[in-house]
Amino acid sequence: MYKKSLTERDICTKFITPALKNAGWDIQKQIREEVFFTDGRIIVQGSLHTRGTRKRADYILYYKNNIPLAIIEAKDNKKGIGSGMQQALEYSEILQLPFVFTSNGDSFVFHDKTNPEIREKEIPLNEFPSPSTLWEKYLKFKGIASPKEREIVEQDYFVDDSGMNLRYYQANAVNRTIEAIAKEKNRILLVMATGTGKTYTAFNLIWRLWKTGIKKRILFLADRNALLTQTKNGDFSPFGNDIMHIIKNRKIDKSYQIYFALYQGLTSNEEEKNAYKEFSRDFFDLIVVDECHRGSASEASAWREILEYFEGATQIGMTATPKETKDISNMDYYGEPVYTYSLKQGIMDGFLAPYKVVRFTTNLDEGWRPSAGMLDKFGHEIEDRIYNLKDYDRKMVIDQRTQLIADKITEFLKATDRYAKTIVFCIDIEHAQRMRQALINANADLVSKHPLYVVKITGDDEVGKRELDNFTDVEERFPVIATTSKMLTTGIDTKMVKLIVLEANIGSMTEFKQIVGRGTRIREAEGKLYFTIMDFRKATNLFADPDFDGEPVQIYEPGLEDSPVPPLYPEIGDGDGNELREPEPTWEGPSSTDINIHEPDPDTEPIKYYVNDIEVKVINQRIQYFAADGRLITESLKDYTRKNIDKNFSSLDAFIQRWTEAEKKEVLLAELAEQGILLEALREEVGKDLDDFDLVCHIAFDQPALTRKERAEQVRKRNYFAKYSEKAQAVLNALLDKYEQEGITTIEQGSILKVQPLNQLGSPVELVRAFGKGKDFEKAIKELEKEIYKSA
């Protein structure tokens, strides 16, 4: 057998897998081949989207299920033994694997991160290390020595028969936490972006600790009732109801093993009602604090009292937004995170939805001053000063502004999807009520048929709270629009939210990340792959804050007469074809000049002024895209495409050669799509029915473009068909017509002979025989393609 003639897959089957089996690796339990560990970033252009390349490891080796140790990158024998090492090392960093191997079937190159003296060496196929060898090296590297420590880290995961598997980052989070606990670390912080499955991760973590018996009584602390029931009946259900209990009405029952409780359900301003003190200080072995940024990190917080009371328990804080301020610090209490999975990483991996931003600037944003002696609509004289975005709906209510926002939201939904789940974040409950009313008036046609089309979901509204489950339910159509102040900012699983409206002043990065997180769930089957943020308060300036870690794919600022829907493919330049870049916005906290320090006397002055005769209109426009590398750019789709193609093809000749040599043009086009080059989107912008080949040549290399019809006509004029039989000519003419109508990928499909009009010329077998044998027909197809692109 000539090894250099073998494919990469042959090398795996004939050389690498046998070497692993000979070293003692169990092919059923410890070896996984061709492992896709990301979903591929969702790339959005206009109304179109595609998936980027999924990251794939040729082999991942596991000591046990979900406890990975090593990665192997395979190459065919024409390449060097270590030629895949750089990619393998990149993947090993993501997967947090200490052992990295590459092979071309001759031997292995072994990169050992646990060895400070010899990092990389070549080893023969028959000397591949055994599972126990790598596991012992791993434990030594992690400082896990005692039998008790080993027992903890070697405990099995829960076997989920439902088919739900841990994603790589969830396994990383569990394994790093388990290792920290094995080494007797009792304060642990996990940072995981909203929508990445913190609760499912917590279940797997608790399961392993409970199964070892080292953590027998466990308290899961949350801050929303809905979360407790959702957690107990959902991810935690494998424990069984017999051992789980939700603490309600401060009634304590000590006969259970796993408890769920609200922070506020265990504490009180009255000492005798502090229910947590009915437990002994050593009752709980483990406390998991969900959304720990909400207060557990604050020294002044009543919630902190619970953690200090049970100070002997291991305490794990979980959050998407670790809080670090002068008074509140997660890091100070829990220490540095043992694992972090950020919003940006989730978007790049394709597990979280990217988003566009539509920014509105009105004529009142920079400030509005009342005329001398002006009265509001209730007869109160308005204090003479300049009111701005921080005052609107807090101190100054302008009805026209509220209605303008409701109209823009409605206009956007009418132009996209009127049943797209929408959350409007308002200043306070009263503002949420006024916004509800304005949206009902703007959507009177649907509200008359569906009274719950718009609802207010706030803490004081029993009707709205009852509708919360329907709003979050993927199957329920109504409510569609929810106005709220704080209730939906965190912890609620709003899977189908496609539009988030910012009509509240957000100065906290923690709150901002939580709000953005309401839309990051992906529901591919239901068509939800990205979402939109409409910003009326300049809150999205927080994107420029260094603490933010997940950028939007597009930012758009409509002008007075512009649609609120972002244009599909913006064209921005200086008039000479040069790209313009918008200066990066900088975020500043509220200055003293923005804050009215005068507090009104409630007996003589109104808390808010209400006016209803002010002209409000939208001004300005800006569009920004985020490229595949995550950087903010301000350029047209044409410029973006040109730069991406230039990166992949050094010249026009290089592209033509690749196009000509491609067995299937569809494969090459798919590669371009994975890099964010969506030719359908580009074709819409160019506005011509160009062939894919001409589209690339025209945009990237400034070549004159031919339409498919023009290319087909050139082929017909050359009449090269004459050498074929009458039947074969009829087939080729029909194929050329198909190309003209639908493009080159259509005639490459194996089923082309079964569709009209070709199926009317005869059966597929008869049509192929018109050319001779099957290979003669394939040759004729290739020749037709060459003729189509002959002028190139």
Side-chain angles (χ1 to χ4, degrees):
M1 184 186 298
Y2 184 53
K3 194 183 283 187
K4 294 205 181 301
S5 68
L6 298 178
T7 64
E8 183 180 297
R9 183 77 338 237
D10 288 332
I11 294 295
C12 292
T13 304
K14 299 179 186 302
F15 297 96
I16 298 176
T17 301
L20 298 178
K21 290 167 72 175
N22 290 338
W25 292 87
D26 187 323
I27 196 165
Q28 298 297 328
K29 297 179 180 178
Q30 295 179 302
I31 301 171
R32 285 189 63 198
E33 297 184 58
E34 297 187 309
V35 184
F36 287 99
F37 58 90
T38 72
D39 277 0
R41 187 175 76 96
I42 296 169
I43 301 162
V44 181
Q45 289 183 3
S47 59
L48 301 178
H49 65 267
T50 188
R51 284 273 190 183
T53 307
R54 299 171 69 191
K55 288 185 170 62
R56 181 184 67 85
D58 290 325
Y59 289 84
I60 296 180
L61 305 183
Y62 298 81
Y63 179 68
K64 281 189 169 186
N65 183 39
N66 285 315
I67 304 178
L69 282 178
I71 186 171
I72 304 175
E73 179 65 25
K75 296 294 179 187
D76 63 51
N77 199 250
K78 294 171 190 167
K79 298 183 178 68
I81 300 164
S83 61
M85 184 56 76
Q86 289 192 164
Q87 180 179 302
L89 285 170
E90 178 190 330
Y91 288 178
S92 73
E93 288 299 308
I94 296 171
L95 298 170
Q96 297 196 336
L97 301 176
F99 308 118
V100 186
F101 299 85
T102 60
S103 180
N104 66 354
D106 288 339
S107 58
F108 290 98
V109 172
F110 177 21
H111 185 103
D112 184 357
K113 297 180 185 178
T114 70
N115 188 337
E117 297 174 0
I118 304 173
R119 274 295 161 111
E120 210 163 277
K121 64 180 179 180
E122 186 176 342
I123 58 174
L125 291 176
N126 61 1
E127 291 184 14
F128 194 88
S130 68
S132 59
T133 299
L134 290 188
W135 183 240
E136 293 301 325
K137 286 171 70 72
Y138 179 81
L139 294 178
K140 184 178 179 182
F141 177 62
K142 289 288 185 175
I144 295 168
S146 73
K148 186 64 176 176
E149 291 171 355
R150 290 181 65 122
E151 180 190 358
I152 294 170
V153 298
E154 291 177 358
Q155 176 60 47
D156 292 335
Y157 274 85
F158 171 72
V159 178
D160 196 331
D161 295 329
S162 70
M164 188 171 178
N165 295 311
L166 284 166
R167 291 171 173 169
Y168 82 85
Y169 62 84
Q170 293 170 333
N172 282 351
V174 173
N175 292 332
R176 299 300 83 79
T177 305
I178 293 284
E179 289 161 4
I181 290 172
K183 291 188 284 187
E184 299 186 344
K185 182 174 169 60
N186 277 333
R187 300 291 180 269
I188 296 166
L189 181 63
L190 275 176
V191 178
M192 295 172 67
T194 301
T196 56
K198 289 193 293 295
T199 312
Y200 185 61
T201 302
F203 160 72
N204 278 277
L205 172 61
I206 292 170
W207 178 272
R208 289 180 66 191
L209 293 169
W210 180 72
K211 276 290 186 181
T212 59
I214 63 160
K215 305 297 178 188
K216 295 176 182 176
R217 290 203 186 98
I218 295 144
L219 174 62
F220 186 91
L221 276 176
D223 66 338
R224 297 281 163 87
N225 259 319
L227 287 177
L228 299 183
T229 307
Q230 183 180 300
T231 301
K232 177 177 176 286
N233 298 336
D235 290 331
F236 279 63
S237 59
F239 282 114
N241 284 325
D242 291 345
I243 69 164
M244 294 192 294
H245 175 63
I246 297 177
I247 299 173
K248 295 178 180 177
N249 303 319
R250 293 186 168 83
K251 292 180 180 176
I252 302 302
D253 183 337
K254 301 177 185 177
S255 61
Y256 294 91
Q257 296 179 51
I258 297 174
Y259 292 80
F260 301 88
L262 298 179
Y263 303 111
Q264 54 271 39
L266 294 179
T267 60
S268 172
N269 293 329
E270 300 173 43
E271 180 64 27
E272 64 275 10
K273 291 184 180 179
N274 276 327
Y276 67 89
K277 291 190 176 179
E278 292 188 35
F279 293 108
S280 63
R281 286 179 174 271
D282 60 356
F283 186 84
F284 292 110
D285 307 307
L286 174 67
I287 299 175
V288 176
V289 186
D290 191 31
E291 306 292 358
C292 67
H293 64 277
R294 300 277 293 175
S296 61
S298 170
E299 288 185 23
S301 169
W303 302 346
R304 181 74 165 258
E305 293 176 12
I306 302 173
L307 302 184
E308 290 174 345
Y309 181 80
F310 299 113
E311 62 180 355
T314 299
Q315 297 175 11
I316 301 171
M318 303 186 77
T319 181
T321 51
K323 184 177 282 190
E324 291 298 310
T325 69
K326 180 169 60 105
D327 302 310
I328 300 175
S329 172
N330 287 113
M331 308 297 185
D332 180 55
Y333 185 76
Y334 293 105
E336 290 291 324
V338 295
Y339 186 70
T340 297
Y341 189 71
S342 69
L343 172 63
K344 182 175 183 178
Q345 189 62 51
I347 292 173
M348 296 304 285
D349 285 346
F351 295 128
L352 296 180
Y355 51 96
K356 301 177 180 183
V357 175
V358 183
R359 280 179 174 165
F360 289 89
T361 303
T362 76
N363 57 316
L364 302 185
D365 285 6
E366 298 308 315
W368 173 80
R369 184 178 181 182
S371 56
M374 184 176 179
L375 304 179
D376 77 353
K377 64 184 184 180
F378 297 115
H380 300 111
E381 184 174 343
I382 302 171
E383 180 188 355
D384 182 19
R385 68 177 183 85
I386 295 174
Y387 296 87
N388 59 28
L389 281 175
K390 292 183 176 62
D391 297 304
Y392 299 143
D393 300 290
R394 187 174 67 93
K395 296 288 185 185
M396 172 62 62
V397 175
I398 301 173
D399 288 346
Q400 283 80 4
R401 187 178 179 280
T402 305
Q403 195 58 55
L404 173 74
I405 291 164
D407 290 343
K408 286 298 175 184
I409 294 168
T410 304
E411 187 182 341
F412 178 89
L413 292 174
K414 283 181 175 179
T416 53
D417 174 9
R418 291 199 76 179
Y419 297 98
K421 296 279 186 176
T422 300
I423 304 177
V424 186
F425 288 99
C426 301
I427 293 286
D428 55 25
I429 289 174
E430 189 264 350
H431 182 205
Q433 172 56 35
R434 286 187 292 101
M435 185 58 68
R436 171 193 165 277
Q437 184 176 329
L439 284 163
I440 282 175
N441 291 333
N443 294 276
D445 57 334
L446 283 181
V447 173
S448 64
K449 299 175 189 172
H450 311 289
L452 294 174
Y453 181 78
V454 184
V455 296
K456 175 172 73 83
I457 301 179
T458 53
D460 71 322
D461 193 315
E462 291 305 318
V463 174
K465 284 194 286 188
R466 283 201 305 269
E467 290 301 321
L468 179 58
D469 286 344
N470 289 330
F471 182 72
T472 58
D473 192 326
V474 173
E475 303 296 327
E476 289 290 337
R477 174 166 274 192
F478 302 103
V480 172
I481 303 174
T483 66
T484 189
S485 55
K486 299 290 184 185
M487 190 167 179
L488 299 181
T489 57
T490 182
I492 304 300
D493 193 2
T494 51
K495 297 183 180 71
M496 283 303 291
V497 165
K498 293 184 179 180
L499 178 62
I500 290 173
V501 181
L502 302 180
E503 184 31 15
N505 299 319
I506 303 167
S508 157
M509 178 57 69
T510 299
E511 185 179 7
F512 181 63
K513 282 185 177 181
Q514 290 289 340
I515 287 174
V516 170
R518 296 309 99 214
T520 53
R521 271 78 167 179
I522 292 171
R523 298 290 296 189
E524 201 149 357
E526 289 82 11
K528 192 239 172 149
L529 288 108
Y530 63 91
F531 66 104
T532 302
I533 298 173
M534 295 180 79
D535 181 15
F536 294 91
R537 297 276 177 161
K538 292 185 168 54
T540 52
N541 282 350
L542 287 166
F543 288 141
D545 190 289
D547 287 339
F548 191 74
D549 62 3
E551 303 92 341
V553 294
Q554 181 184 1
I555 295 178
Y556 167 51
E557 291 185 356
L560 176 61
E561 303 299 327
D562 294 326
S563 165
V565 181
L568 294 184
Y569 317 109
E571 189 91 64
I572 296 180
D574 61 2
D576 298 318
N578 299 317
E579 173 193 340
L580 292 180
R581 289 184 180 270
E582 188 75 24
E584 291 289 339
T586 55
W587 175 72
E588 297 176 359
S591 66
S592 57
T593 57
D594 291 325
I595 301 172
N596 179 15
I597 58 174
H598 167 71
E599 287 298 325
D601 181 342
D603 295 327
T604 59
E605 297 180 61
I607 299 300
K608 292 181 182 180
Y609 296 109
Y610 293 81
V611 296
N612 61 357
D613 54 356
I614 306 299
E615 182 187 12
V616 187
K617 57 186 179 181
V618 170
I619 57 176
N620 292 342
Q621 173 176 310
R622 182 175 67 187
I623 302 160
Q624 293 178 305
Y625 278 97
F626 275 87
D629 60 3
R631 288 181 303 136
L632 186 65
I633 57 172
T634 308
E635 62 187 348
S636 73
L637 185 56
K638 289 181 184 177
D639 294 333
Y640 177 76
T641 302
R642 185 180 294 116
K643 289 177 183 177
N644 268 275
I645 290 173
D646 284 348
K647 276 190 245 172
N648 290 280
F649 304 101
S650 56
S651 65
L652 173 62
D653 289 339
F655 175 70
I656 292 174
Q657 182 178 351
R658 179 73 189 284
W659 182 269
T660 306
E661 291 174 352
E663 281 293 317
K664 293 276 188 183
K665 305 296 185 285
E666 193 171 22
V667 175
L668 177 56
L669 295 174
E671 288 177 14
L672 293 176
E674 286 176 350
Q675 292 155 38
I677 302 168
L678 303 187
L679 295 185
E680 282 305 315
L682 195 61
R683 189 176 284 108
E684 286 181 28
E685 182 176 2
V686 172
K688 293 181 182 178
D689 190 21
L690 300 183
D691 182 275
D692 292 330
F693 173 84
D694 286 282
L695 195 59
V696 172
C697 292
H698 177 58
I699 295 299
F701 304 110
D702 297 316
Q703 295 299 300
L706 295 176
T707 64
R708 291 198 299 266
K709 183 174 182 179
E710 288 168 336
R711 285 202 173 276
E713 284 300 322
Q714 287 185 356
V715 174
R716 294 185 185 107
K717 286 176 184 175
R718 289 197 290 272
N719 196 27
Y720 93 96
F721 296 158
K723 64 181 181 179
Y724 291 102
S725 69
E726 186 177 339
K727 186 88 163 178
Q729 287 187 44
V731 172
L732 290 172
N733 269 304
L735 288 170
L736 190 59
D737 290 342
K738 273 288 182 188
Y739 159 76
E740 184 179 329
Q741 294 160 13
E742 300 175 27
I744 194 68
T745 57
T746 302
I747 69 172
E748 291 183 328
Q749 294 170 3
S751 60
I752 187 64
L753 297 179
K754 297 179 182 178
V755 300
Q756 290 186 345
L758 286 115
N759 60 0
Q760 297 172 350
L761 299 174
S763 69
V765 173
E766 290 173 336
L767 300 185
V768 169
R769 280 179 183 163
F771 295 87
K773 297 181 179 178
K775 63 181 180 181
D776 298 315
F777 175 67
E778 291 173 7
K779 183 180 177 183
I781 294 284
K782 286 294 176 192
E783 190 172 353
L784 175 60
E785 287 187 7
K786 285 181 182 176
E787 287 295 322
I788 288 170
Y789 298 109
K790 197 164 191 176
S791 62

